[in-house]
């Protein structure tokens, strides 16, 4: 089978990242390299430095495998570079270097990921000879603030973008009112949403192009570590029974609604893994409650242990997420989830049968009590979640679907461009 050359362009990439989208980009890059392809990742360090809290430097990362090259862009002027891109929708200071990387690399496929601060829609016209794929990790295509969280206080049910941007403390992007984004979208061959919900939400907000659906994934299960098998667990990292929260500490993640519940729920603790700007407010809300522990940012291996021994993962987000990778991280450890009935969470829970949904604090507490007190129910849901991860959201299930999407995009009308010889050779060998 002939090997392909991929370029991933993204604002954030580990260790210079804040959440699931950067990790998802890394997982796909590594999965393609493991299959013999070559991947170059281009990302922007300036944006990370501008947006990170003073205390949140990058965590250490192991070296990337051979065949995966990472180009870290640093303009030397930090905030100015990021602001120019955000305001103009173009890679003002990094454009020449990005174009040179793409020209020299002769890539077969270019993946645009979160491009808002590395180059904006101006990048979408680059690499005309490649198959160009856009991953909608966020709702940036239809929302200047990425998250459809209107006026920084409620889910968005209709556009009020100028006022909303100001409420989020972000300079309005005037290029969004000029038709520039719609013009640039024509350069992209295929758009990918991370869930059926996200695809529907893009359509609801007027996105003019069809979208494929391709969920996030995790590495395949280790055959020697079956979390469902009896006696396979290690020692719990916490002395008392606990529920777990994982994510950035922001208002949209919904912890403000969960912390008060642990004033009344005394049979288990709440462990909170992550950091963010809303952390001080949440710690103030928790006060001196001994049943609430803030773990801060922790490494992947430790996080897996916390997942594995939790009664359940609580996912209380109040905004429209595009997927919810932490749900399948919990499923991989055979731990059920209790998720708010919003966004893609009902879709994931229904597909897996790996958890419960809630709307109110009363429903949350009732679900917590059921899963803590009914061991058989918890184990059944945990096993179902694990099976859902294995059959729907593991690397061996998702990556072939991605490659199929790319091949189908390449076979469609390419506006007069000659198809890549590598694709032709690959189809002939198949």
């Amino acid at each position: 089978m002939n090997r392909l050359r991929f370029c991933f362009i993204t604002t954030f990439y580990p260790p210079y990242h804040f959440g699931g989208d950067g990790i998802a980009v890394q997982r796909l890059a590594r999965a393609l390299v493991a299959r013999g392809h070559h991947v170059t990742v281009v990302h922007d360090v300036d944006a990370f430095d501008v947006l990170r809290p003073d205390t949140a430097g990058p965590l250490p990362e192991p070296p990337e495998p051979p065949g995966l090259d990472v180009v870290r862009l640093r303009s030397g002027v930090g905030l100015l570079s990021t602001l120019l891109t955000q305001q103009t929708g173009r890679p003002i200071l990094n454009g020449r270097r990005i174009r040179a990387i793409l020209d020299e690399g002769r890539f077969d496929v270019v993946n645009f990921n979160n491009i808002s601060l590395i180059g904006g829609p101006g990048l979408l016209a680059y690499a005309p000879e490649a198959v160009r794929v856009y991953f909608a990790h966020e709702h940036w295509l239809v929302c200047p603030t990425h998250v459809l969280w209107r006026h920084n206080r409620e889910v968005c049910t209709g556009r009020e973008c100028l006022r909303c941007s100001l409420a989020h403390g972000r300079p309005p992007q005037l290029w969004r009112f000029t038709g520039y984004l719609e013009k640039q979208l024509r350069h992209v061959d295929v758009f990918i949403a991370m869930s059926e919900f996200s695809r529907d939400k893009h359509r609801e907000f007027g996105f003019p192009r069809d979208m494929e659906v391709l969920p996030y994934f995790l590495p395949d299960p280790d055959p020697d570590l079956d979390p469902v098998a009896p006696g396979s667990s290690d020692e719990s990292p916490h002395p008392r029974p606990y529920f777990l929260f994982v994510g950035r500490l922001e208002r949209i993640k919904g912890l403000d609604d969960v912390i008060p519940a642990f004033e009344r729920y005394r049979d288990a603790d709440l462990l909170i893994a992550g950091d963010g700007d809303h952390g001080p407010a949440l710690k103030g809300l928790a006060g001196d409650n001994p049943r609430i522990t803030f773990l801060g940012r922790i490494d992947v291996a430790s996080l897996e242990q916390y997942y594995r021994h939790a009664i359940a993962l609580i996912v209380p987000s109040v905004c429209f997420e595009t997927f919810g990778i932490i749900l399948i991280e919990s499923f991989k450890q055979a731990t059920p989830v209790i998720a708010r009935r919003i966004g893609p969470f009902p879709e994931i829970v229904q597909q897996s049968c790996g958890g419960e949904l809630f709307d109110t604090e009363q429903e949350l507490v009732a679900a917590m009590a059921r899963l803590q007190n009914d061991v058989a129910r918890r184990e059944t849901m945990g096993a179902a979640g694990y099976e859902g991860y294995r059959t729907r959201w593991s690397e061996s299930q998702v990556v072939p679907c991605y490659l199929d999407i790319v091949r189908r995009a390449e076979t469609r009308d390419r506006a007069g461009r000659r198809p890549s010889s590598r694709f032709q050779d690959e189809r002939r060998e198949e």
Side-chain angles (χ1 to χ4, degrees):
M1 174 179 174
N2 218 347
R3 308 310 180 190
L4 301 177
R5 294 182 61 81
F6 293 82
C7 183
F8 288 11
I9 300 181
T10 179
T11 299
F12 303 114
Y13 188 80
Y16 302 91
H17 74 115
F18 298 106
D21 63 321
I23 295 173
V25 172
Q26 184 183 62
R27 284 182 177 139
L28 180 55
R30 290 178 173 179
L32 291 171
V33 168
R35 286 159 174 77
H37 303 291
H38 185 277
V39 179
T40 297
V41 176
V42 182
H43 79 101
D44 192 283
V45 177
D46 287 340
F48 174 82
D49 288 338
V50 167
L51 296 176
R52 70 174 181 174
D54 292 339
T55 58
L59 292 174
E61 279 280 324
E64 298 289 4
L68 203 172
D69 300 326
V70 180
V71 180
R72 309 195 192 281
L73 300 179
R74 293 179 171 88
S75 68
V77 292
L79 174 61
L80 177 61
S81 175
T82 301
L83 183 61
L84 285 172
T85 296
Q86 192 265 355
Q87 282 291 283
T88 66
R90 294 166 171 83
I92 299 297
L93 297 184
N94 288 324
R96 183 177 297 178
R97 186 177 180 197
I98 294 173
R99 194 183 293 276
I101 292 169
L102 293 172
D103 290 345
E104 294 168 7
R106 300 176 59 83
F107 297 103
D108 302 294
V109 183
V110 174
N111 277 5
F112 298 106
N113 294 282
N114 182 344
I115 60 170
S116 60
L117 297 180
I118 189 174
L123 288 175
L124 299 179
Y126 287 24
E129 298 303 321
V131 175
R132 289 176 284 193
V133 182
Y134 185 97
F135 275 80
H137 296 282
E138 298 178 317
H139 289 114
W140 175 78
L141 290 170
V142 295
C143 174
T145 68
H146 303 222
V147 291
L148 293 174
W149 182 241
R150 191 168 57 191
H151 306 316
N152 209 19
R153 66 171 184 261
E154 61 192 11
V155 293
C156 184
T157 57
R159 293 180 181 274
E160 298 177 8
C161 298
L162 186 59
R163 289 174 50 210
C164 185
S165 294
L166 293 173
H168 278 265
R170 299 184 183 184
Q173 297 170 309
L174 298 182
W175 56 262
R176 285 186 177 268
F177 302 94
T178 66
Y180 177 59
L181 175 60
E182 290 72 17
K183 177 183 176 181
Q184 294 299 102
L185 296 179
R186 297 199 297 265
H187 298 292
V188 177
D189 297 295
V190 60
F191 292 86
I192 293 177
M194 316 316 297
S195 63
E196 295 285 353
F197 169 84
S198 183
R199 177 168 67 178
D200 292 345
K201 192 57 65 175
H202 277 82
R203 184 181 298 122
E204 176 187 332
F205 276 81
F207 185 67
R209 296 284 298 274
D210 292 334
M211 303 184 85
E212 301 272 359
V213 174
L214 187 77
Y216 286 130
F217 69 88
L218 299 177
D220 287 339
D222 185 336
D224 297 325
L225 296 175
D226 184 353
V228 181
S232 63
S233 62
D234 48 8
E235 184 177 351
S236 174
H238 190 73
R240 276 172 44 85
Y242 65 90
F243 295 89
L244 181 65
F245 169 90
V246 177
R248 291 196 71 186
L249 304 188
E250 301 174 334
R251 285 187 60 197
I252 60 176
K253 296 300 183 180
L255 266 178
D256 300 77
D257 299 335
V258 175
I259 287 174
F262 281 83
E263 289 294 333
R264 293 171 288 282
Y265 195 90
R266 299 176 177 272
D267 295 333
D269 295 351
L270 173 64
L271 304 189
I272 299 170
D275 64 5
D277 293 339
H278 197 46
L282 292 172
K283 291 175 182 177
L285 182 62
D288 58 358
N289 188 335
R291 294 181 298 283
I292 299 176
T293 300
F294 289 84
L295 301 172
R297 298 169 73 195
I298 56 179
D299 62 79
V300 173
S302 299
L303 187 57
E304 289 180 348
Q305 187 181 27
Y306 280 105
Y307 274 123
R308 194 156 48 244
H309 293 280
I311 299 168
L313 175 74
I314 297 178
V315 189
S317 292
V318 293
C319 67
F320 295 138
E321 307 248 5
T322 58
F323 184 74
I325 198 167
I326 58 175
L327 279 77
I328 60 173
E329 288 178 352
S330 189
F331 291 160
K332 186 179 181 182
Q333 303 304 325
T335 296
V337 303
I338 305 173
R340 195 181 296 273
R341 192 177 282 104
I342 190 174
F345 304 153
E347 177 183 332
I348 297 170
V349 170
Q350 181 179 17
Q351 289 172 344
S352 64
C353 299
E356 298 199 26
L357 300 169
F358 74 94
D359 285 314
T360 66
E361 181 183 310
Q362 183 179 5
E363 291 177 341
L364 168 63
V365 171
M368 289 163 53
R370 280 193 297 271
L371 288 175
Q372 181 166 10
N373 298 327
D374 189 338
V375 175
R377 180 183 183 87
R378 183 169 74 246
E379 290 180 348
T380 297
M381 284 188 171
Y386 178 78
E387 184 65 9
Y389 143 71
R390 191 183 66 80
T391 59
R392 286 180 176 271
W393 300 301
S394 61
E395 179 178 318
S396 59
Q397 299 298 313
V398 176
V399 174
C401 294
Y402 163 73
L403 291 171
D404 182 62
I405 288 172
V406 169
R407 292 188 186 102
R408 285 190 281 114
E410 190 273 339
T411 61
R412 291 195 289 265
D413 180 11
R414 305 281 293 142
R417 295 197 302 272
R418 185 175 61 186
S420 164
S421 61
R422 289 190 180 90
F423 279 106
Q424 292 175 323
D425 291 344
E426 185 170 310
R427 286 198 299 274
R428 186 161 54 245
E429 292 178 15
E430 289 175 345

